[in-house]
Amino acid sequence: MKKKENKKLQQEIWVRLAVLIISIILFQVIAVILLIIIIINLIIAIIKGKPDSGVVEFSKVGFNEIMRLLKYLLFISNERPFPFNELKKGE
């Protein structure tokens, strides 16, 4: 029984390593996208006097997924991030 648990843990560690490598690449892209979202929302807030609710909701989803990814990579949670699980709505 212990061998099965140990093998499962080893497989999970390899999955986390793969997610980490992919995440390092994607974080560069995500950083640019986040900067664009921030600028767009600032411009909208200046023009309309308040941030756009659609952009805010999109930002919440992105933030939640980044947090879920970090929790997974830091072994705080075993809940796999997107695309291994469904996207969660903004909270």
Side-chain angles (χ1 to χ4, degrees):
M1 190 70 164
K2 251 189 171 182
K3 279 189 176 183
K4 268 188 174 179
E5 289 176 15
N6 194 21
K7 188 174 182 175
K8 187 175 180 180
L9 179 61
Q10 284 294 103
Q11 289 174 338
E12 183 64 28
I13 290 172
W14 283 109
V15 169
R16 286 177 197 258
L17 179 62
V19 170
L20 173 65
I21 292 169
I22 293 167
S23 299
I24 289 170
I25 296 166
L26 290 178
F27 270 134
Q28 301 303 314
V29 175
I30 291 169
V32 172
I33 293 170
L34 288 175
L35 182 60
I36 292 168
I37 290 171
I38 291 168
I39 292 169
I40 289 171
N41 217 13
L42 280 172
I43 292 170
I44 291 171
I46 290 169
I47 294 170
K48 289 185 172 182
K50 65 178 184 175
D52 182 70
S53 61
V55 176
V56 170
E57 286 304 311
F58 179 78
S59 300
K60 286 180 184 178
V61 171
F63 176 79
N64 288 338
E65 285 306 309
I66 290 170
M67 290 305 296
R68 189 160 60 156
L69 171 66
L70 291 174
K71 285 179 180 179
Y72 179 74
L73 291 175
L74 293 169
F75 291 86
I76 295 170
S77 169
N78 286 325
E79 182 181 10
R80 290 183 179 171
F82 178 79
F84 302 104
N85 272 328
E86 292 181 18
L87 276 174
K88 288 189 173 181
K89 299 254 182 186
E91 295 174 1

